[in-house]
Amino acid sequence: MDTERKMLIFTLLLTAVCSPVFSGEWKATVAENLDALVTSCVVVPCSFTHGGGLLPNSRLRGLWHRQDKFDQFIYHEDQTRVLDNFKGRTQLLGHLGENNCTLEITEMKDHDNGPFCFRVEVVLKETNEPTKDMFSFVKNCVQFKMLHGAPKPVLTPPKTAIEGKPYTIICSVTHTCPSHVPKLTWNRGTEEDITEIHKHHGGNWEATSTLTFVAQAKDDYTDLTCTAEFYGGKTSSSAVTLSIKRSENYNHIIIPVAVGIGTAVIFGLFCVFMVKKYKKRIAELQNQEGTMLNRLHRLSQRARF
C-alpha cells in the first residue's frame, strides 16, 4: 500500500507540474534579419515563453536547424548530429531554464545566410530522452545578410578645436557579435584619454570609443583616425582632419592692428606738423614780401620830391 500510495502521489505531482507546461502555448521571439560579417561572428537574440512558467535546464533541450530541414542541425548538444560545416562554430549563450535561446555562430561563411530556426524539446530528466512535446518555431527564424566588407566607424567631432582647450571626439561602430566586441583604436592618445561604452540596439550592438585631449597649434591640419578591428581579423577606418582655432587672447590679431593704428597715428601727427610748419613758412614769406613792398613805396615817394 505504501508503495502504491507513493506512486500515486508522484504521478499527481508530475501531472500538476507538467500539464500547464504541455498545455500552454509556446512562443518564440527571434531577431529575424541580421547583418553578418564574413569571417567574424554573429549573436542571434532569442527567447521563448510557455504557459507553464520556468522549467530547469535539465528538462529542456534547445536545438537550431534549417527552416526546411528539421534534421539538419546547426546546433545540437550532441556534436555528432551537427552539420559538418557548423561543427565547433555554434553554441547557446542563453540559459534555457530562463527561456533564453540566444545563439552564437563564429567564423561566418558566405553560405551561412539561413534561415535558421529554434526548436525546444521537453526531456525526461532521468534518461535525457525527448518526450512527445517538441516545438519548432519555423515562423520565427533568423536570416543573415552577408557582409564582405567591415562596417566603417562613424566619427562625431565637435565643430571647432580651440588651441589650449579640451577636444572630445567620438568613434562608434555597429556590429552583431557582443561576445566578441570590435576593438576600436586611435592613432594618438593614451588609455587615460580614452573611454569605451558598449550598447544594445535591438538586434544590433554599438561599440563606442571617446577620445579627449588638449588641442595644440601643432595639431592643425593633422588627421585623427579611428580603426575598428572585428573578430576574424577584418578592419576598417575613418579619419577627420583637425582645424585648430587660435586661443581666445587673439594676440595674432591685436598686435598687427595695434601696429597699424600706431603707424597711422604717427603718420597723422607728422602730417599735422608739416602743415603747421608750411603755414608758418608762408606767413614768414608774406611778412617779408610786405616789408619789401613798403620799402619800395617809400623810395618811390622820395624820388618824386
Side-chain angles (χ1 to χ4, degrees), residues 251-267:
N251 287 338
H252 63 292
I253 297 176
I254 294 174
I255 292 175
V257 171
V259 171
I261 293 174
T263 302
V265 169
I266 293 173
F267 181 74

Side-chain angles (χ1 to χ4, degrees), residues 5-274:
R5 185 179 300 173
K6 288 180 181 179
M7 289 298 296
L8 178 60
I9 294 174
F10 175 77
T11 303
L12 291 174
L13 289 174
L14 184 62
T15 303
V17 171
C18 295
S19 59
V21 174
F22 298 156
S23 62
E25 184 180 4
W26 290 69
K27 295 181 179 179
T29 301
V30 180
E32 296 182 1
N33 295 284
L34 293 175
D35 290 339
L37 178 62
V38 175
T39 73
S40 187
C41 57
V42 64
V43 169
V44 183
C46 173
S47 62
F48 63 97
T49 59
H50 54 81
L54 297 179
L55 285 174
N57 276 347
S58 59
R59 294 295 315 281
L60 297 172
R61 175 184 294 152
L63 317 168
W64 282 83
H65 59 87
R66 295 189 183 278
Q67 187 178 38
D68 55 346
K69 301 289 183 180
F70 289 84
D71 59 343
Q72 293 190 6
F73 299 108
I74 67 167
Y75 170 79
H76 196 291
E77 61 183 29
D78 182 359
Q79 281 290 304
T80 62
R81 301 187 62 181
V82 176
L83 294 171
D84 290 341
N85 186 49
F86 286 93
K87 284 182 178 178
R89 296 200 294 123
T90 58
Q91 65 171 327
L92 283 183
L93 298 183
H95 295 286
L96 296 176
E98 299 174 357
N99 293 348
N100 189 333
C101 46
T102 298
L103 175 74
E104 178 195 67
I105 308 175
T106 60
E107 301 175 23
M108 294 296 293
K109 305 181 186 302
D110 281 329
H111 50 268
D112 292 345
N113 55 314
F116 303 120
C117 310
F118 174 65
R119 174 179 171 184
V120 63
E121 298 177 350
V122 179
V123 300
L124 296 174
K125 184 176 180 180
E126 293 79 6
T127 63
N128 201 31
E129 291 295 324
T131 67
K132 65 179 180 178
D133 298 283
M134 305 177 185
F135 304 89
S136 286
F137 305 98
V138 292
K139 293 184 179 180
N140 303 92
C141 303
V142 63
Q143 190 159 5
F144 302 118
K145 176 184 177 182
M146 310 309 294
L147 304 178
H148 292 86
K152 280 186 171 293
V154 177
L155 293 177
T156 309
K159 293 182 179 179
T160 57
I162 301 176
E163 180 185 4
K165 299 292 184 180
Y167 179 84
T168 299
I169 183 170
I170 300 172
C171 175
S172 59
V173 67
T174 58
H175 65 98
T176 54
C177 190
S179 56
H180 298 85
V181 179
K183 183 179 180 181
L184 296 174
T185 56
W186 298 89
N187 64 335
R188 64 165 297 167
T190 62
E191 291 185 2
E192 291 75 18
D193 301 327
I194 299 170
T195 56
E196 296 182 352
I197 298 176
H198 195 228
K199 301 177 183 178
H200 184 206
H201 297 290
N204 293 314
W205 285 262
E206 181 183 62
T208 299
S209 179
T210 302
L211 171 66
T212 301
F213 62 93
V214 176
Q216 304 292 338
K218 64 181 181 179
D219 297 324
D220 202 15
Y221 296 108
T222 60
D223 287 338
L224 202 54
T225 304
C226 177
T227 300
E229 182 180 355
F230 294 81
Y231 176 82
K234 289 194 175 183
T235 62
S236 60
S237 299
S238 294
V240 63
T241 302
L242 294 175
S243 178
I244 307 300
K245 184 179 179 181
R246 294 295 183 266
S247 55
E248 291 153 335
N249 56 24
Y250 299 109
N251 287 338
H252 63 292
I253 297 176
I254 294 174
I255 292 175
V257 171
V259 171
I261 293 174
T263 302
V265 169
I266 293 173
F267 181 74
L269 292 174
F270 175 77
C271 291
V272 170
F273 173 77
M274 291 302 294

